[in-house]
């Protein structure tokens, strides 16, 4: 499990990098950092949750958490994590809220080099840090983000779907458990989360699909397991969120592999 640490105040320790692993389902409880934090799951997938929602970073994404944000983590699959802590004076170059970015080949090599355990002087570390920040600021976030509600009735619905993302239950059926009508719940999804019930459930399923793809499951199996009517519907929903087909995403994971 990755743990919060105290960081030396010297300039030599401005950028600290560590590597660790988390077992499937392992959780790091709610905490915050005085520094910014980049987490790269070189293998597996890592979910970062705040009161605003959950950001998922599979093996071709990196998650950014600014200083002061209370958050927790959960691993999906055997997850190898590379962690880079950024002092606050460098955080202004990155978003003021948690974000997920695509990992370019150059960014990936810089992340791995900085966290490979080999001793490096301040100069090489500074240059690697600058390269990482340049790569992140030069690309728009590619967020796999699922907003979470505050309304108790809506939380009942989303909790049921978290427990069974492949459920085919309608909003009306879920509303019977939540004690609210379909009309009220539909309005709450739009007003509080900014998406429809159908969009929210699709994003939830895509997040689970990313984990299953990383574990090597075929598209047809994932489509059926997560409740899509057919593989084509799954592929269309996946492309809308991730920007590429599940087959291509899985092929990229096989090609890059774990370091």
């Amino acid at each position: 499990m990755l743990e919060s640490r105290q960081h030396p105040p010297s300039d030599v320790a401005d950028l600290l990098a560590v590597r660790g692993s988390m077992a499937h389902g392992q959780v790091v409880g709610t905490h915050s950092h005085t520094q910014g934090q980049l987490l790269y799951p070189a293998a597996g997938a890592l979910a970062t949750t705040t009161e605003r929602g959950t950001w998922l970073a599979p093996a071709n994404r990196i998650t950014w958490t600014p200083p002061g944000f209370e958050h927790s983590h959960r691993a999906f699959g055997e997850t190898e994590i590379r962690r880079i802590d950024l002092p606050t004076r460098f955080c202004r170059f990155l978003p003021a809220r948690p974000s997920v970015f695509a990992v370019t080949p150059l960014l990936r090599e810089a992340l791995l080099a900085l966290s490979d355990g080999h001793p490096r002087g301040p100069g090489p570390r500074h240059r690697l840090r600058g390269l990482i920040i340049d790569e992140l600021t030069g690309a728009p976030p590619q967020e796999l983000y699922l907003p979470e509600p505050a309304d108790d009735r809506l939380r009942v619905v989303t909790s049921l779907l978290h427990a069974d993302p492949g459920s085919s239950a309608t909003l009306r059926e879920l509303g019977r458990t939540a004690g609210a009508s379909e009309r009220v719940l539909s309005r709450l999804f739009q007003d509080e989360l900014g998406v429809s019930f159908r969009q929210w459930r699709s994003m939830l399923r895509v997040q689970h699909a990313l984990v299953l793809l990383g574990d090597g499951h075929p598209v047809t199996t994932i489509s059926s397991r997560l409740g899509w009517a057919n593989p084509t519907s799954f592929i269309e929903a996946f492309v809308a969120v991730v920007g590429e087909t599940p087959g291509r995403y899985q092929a990229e994971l096989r090609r890059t592999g774990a370091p």
Side-chain angles (χ1 to χ4, degrees):
M1 179 180 294
L2 297 179
E3 299 176 350
S4 179
R5 302 181 181 183
Q6 294 295 320
H7 302 297
S10 66
D11 287 342
V12 174
D14 270 352
L15 188 68
L16 299 180
V18 297
R19 60 186 297 176
S21 61
M22 295 175 65
H24 174 66
Q26 188 173 351
V27 172
V28 176
T30 302
H31 62 287
S32 63
H33 307 279
T34 57
Q35 298 182 324
Q37 188 176 84
L38 293 166
L39 291 177
Y40 171 50
L46 185 71
T48 299
T49 299
T50 75
E51 63 179 7
R52 301 185 183 186
T54 298
W55 287 257
L56 181 70
N60 65 347
R61 299 287 197 275
I62 184 170
T63 183
W64 159 247
T65 305
F69 261 88
E70 288 197 350
H71 62 286
S72 61
H73 300 297
R74 181 183 180 89
F76 291 92
E78 296 297 321
T79 302
E80 180 185 338
I81 299 172
R82 304 297 182 99
R83 188 189 84 193
I84 296 174
D85 297 324
L86 290 179
T88 53
R89 65 180 179 275
F90 299 113
C91 296
R92 62 188 177 90
F93 297 108
L94 298 176
R97 63 182 181 85
S99 303
V100 172
F101 296 87
V103 176
T104 64
L106 181 58
L107 176 58
R108 182 175 187 273
E109 292 306 314
L111 291 165
L112 297 180
L114 196 57
S115 58
D116 61 9
H118 295 161
R120 287 184 171 83
R125 290 205 317 275
H126 180 79
R127 289 189 289 273
L128 284 169
R129 175 189 61 204
L131 175 58
I132 288 170
I133 292 175
D134 284 347
E135 285 291 288
L136 291 175
T137 56
Q142 295 192 3
E143 297 188 331
L144 304 172
Y145 169 61
L146 188 71
E148 292 294 344
D151 185 273
D152 288 340
R153 296 160 295 180
L154 213 54
R155 289 175 67 89
V156 170
V157 172
T158 57
S159 294
L160 290 171
L161 294 176
H162 275 297
D164 182 12
S167 169
S168 60
T170 65
L171 187 56
R172 177 177 295 178
E173 291 168 340
L174 293 167
R176 296 192 187 109
T177 302
S181 69
E182 178 181 12
R183 181 178 179 180
V184 167
L185 291 172
S186 180
R187 176 178 54 79
L188 285 170
F189 266 101
Q190 289 288 356
D191 291 349
E192 188 171 333
L193 302 183
V195 295
S196 69
F197 164 69
R198 182 176 180 180
Q199 289 171 320
W200 192 94
R201 179 157 64 179
S202 182
M203 288 189 289
L204 172 69
R205 289 174 173 177
V206 167
Q207 285 197 349
H208 283 264
L210 284 162
V211 177
L212 295 175
L213 287 166
D215 289 340
H217 294 281
V219 168
T220 52
T221 299
I222 296 171
S223 171
S224 174
R225 181 170 172 178
L226 291 178
W228 274 287
N230 51 62
T232 299
S233 298
F234 165 43
I235 293 169
E236 290 175 350
F238 191 91
V239 170
V241 175
V242 182
E244 61 184 340
T245 66
R248 181 175 180 181
Y249 169 80
Q250 195 171 54
E252 288 176 351
L253 292 183
R254 293 194 185 108
R255 184 173 64 252
T256 57

